[in-house]
Amino acid sequence: MYEYKNLLVNTAEDGITTVTINRPKALNALDTLTLEEMKDCFNRLASDVATKSVLITGAGPKSFVAGADLGAMSKMTVTEARCFSVLGHAVFNAIERIPVAVVAAINGFALGGGCELALACDFRFASDNAKFGQPEVNYGIIPGFGGSQRLARLIGTGEAKEMIYTGSMIDAEEALRIGLINRITTQENLIPECEAILRKIMSKAPMAIASAKNAINTGMNMDLRSGLAYEAQVFGSCFATRDQKEGMAAFLEKRKPVFTNR
């Protein structure tokens, strides 16, 4: 499919595209090249008709993504650091906006930028050896790829502040308790379980999934009244699709629907 230095990208026949951050010797840390490749990859996948869903993981059993590249960051100027943060935002915004379901398969460390990458996905499955954290305060900085914003929206400000202020790591059980992840599984079953839920989602109306994702993500940044008004608008737009007519007709005719993403 797409050829990159630090990413492996593969689309299976069923439409699941697996994106693997492939820097295992660096525990899959995010450097500028990796982020630029991810930005290009997800901008391409957003319009790739063969991609029905996306699974993001890290190469090897030790790490999903163990943060950003501190060696490179240590030499950055103020301007360079801001540009690095803006690049990370562009990548994770592209992941958040892609109109298909995205699951993070978290194997091992998800620290700093790795935790922030997971936050940009629709949901997160973790292996039982996973470790999470936002350790940036240990290095005199704050999360720069969306962690100060997405983490609080997902788990609440109290839990988010504790994670960010202490810089401490938490295990998969604690991540599940506070709502950071959706499910814990074994290392062997991590990818199969992620693929299973994506296949279930892919059996539904694709335009409805895209609309639901849009309504949820957009509404999260609105007050409740505005969010409800936006939901009504998106709900109404579904009735202009062939998939809505097919889905309701199939239900009334007691048959399985055949969705065409139209």
Side-chain angles (χ1 to χ4, degrees):
M1 196 177 174
Y2 310 128
E3 296 293 331
Y4 298 105
K5 181 179 178 181
N6 294 337
L7 300 180
L8 300 175
V9 183
N10 178 67
T11 300
E13 289 184 4
D14 62 6
I16 298 176
T17 294
T18 300
V19 178
T20 304
I21 293 88
N22 189 35
R23 301 186 71 213
K25 291 183 179 178
L27 296 179
N28 303 318
L30 300 176
D31 60 1
T32 298
L33 175 60
T34 306
L35 289 170
E36 288 175 344
E37 289 184 346
M38 291 177 71
K39 181 180 178 182
D40 179 79
C41 176
F42 279 92
N43 285 336
R44 289 171 180 264
L45 292 179
S47 58
D48 181 3
V49 295
T51 294
K52 311 300 184 186
S53 63
V54 178
L55 188 159
I56 303 177
T57 194
K62 294 182 179 180
S63 183
F64 174 66
V65 169
D69 189 329
L70 287 178
M73 289 172 64
S74 67
K75 303 177 180 66
M76 289 180 180
T77 65
V78 170
T79 299
E80 289 169 340
R82 182 180 181 279
C83 289
F84 189 56
S85 176
V86 169
L87 174 60
H89 289 166
V91 174
F92 296 171
N93 288 342
I95 294 170
E96 195 170 60
R97 288 195 302 264
I98 192 171
V100 296
V102 181
V103 60
I106 302 162
N107 46 320
F109 294 115
L111 306 177
C115 188
E116 291 167 303
L117 170 58
L119 291 170
C121 298
D122 292 309
F123 36 90
R124 291 146 291 280
F125 285 10
S127 60
D128 47 21
N129 72 327
K131 302 286 185 183
F132 300 83
Q134 296 289 167
E136 288 84 357
V137 294
N138 294 317
Y139 317 123
I141 58 175
I142 70 166
F145 292 166
S148 69
Q149 305 303 308
R150 289 193 178 96
L151 187 61
R153 285 168 168 79
L154 181 65
I155 66 174
T157 56
E159 296 285 5
K161 286 179 178 178
E162 182 173 344
M163 281 188 68
I164 292 171
Y165 291 4
T166 65
S168 300
M169 282 196 298
I170 61 173
D171 61 18
E173 292 288 347
E174 179 65 5
L176 182 66
R177 185 192 71 80
I178 64 176
L180 178 55
I181 61 175
N182 298 73
R183 188 180 303 180
I184 302 172
T185 185
T186 63
Q187 296 176 56
E188 294 77 15
N189 289 335
L190 177 60
I191 299 301
E193 288 201 24
C194 289
E195 291 175 340
I197 195 168
L198 290 176
R199 290 191 187 101
K200 183 175 183 178
I201 292 168
M202 290 189 299
S203 72
K204 314 303 179 183
M207 295 188 76
I209 297 299
S211 294
K213 181 170 183 173
N214 175 30
I216 293 167
N217 288 347
T218 302
M220 282 293 292
N221 297 312
M222 297 178 173
D223 61 81
L224 179 58
R225 181 172 294 183
S226 299
L228 291 172
Y230 189 71
E231 178 187 78
Q233 177 183 334
V234 177
F235 173 77
S237 69
C238 292
F239 285 74
T241 68
R242 293 183 183 179
D243 278 356
Q244 173 268 326
K245 293 173 177 58
E246 168 62 13
M248 293 189 177
F251 175 80
L252 294 172
E253 295 165 10
K254 296 181 172 56
R255 61 176 174 82
K256 186 176 180 180
V258 179
F259 295 119
T260 58
N261 197 22
R262 295 181 181 179

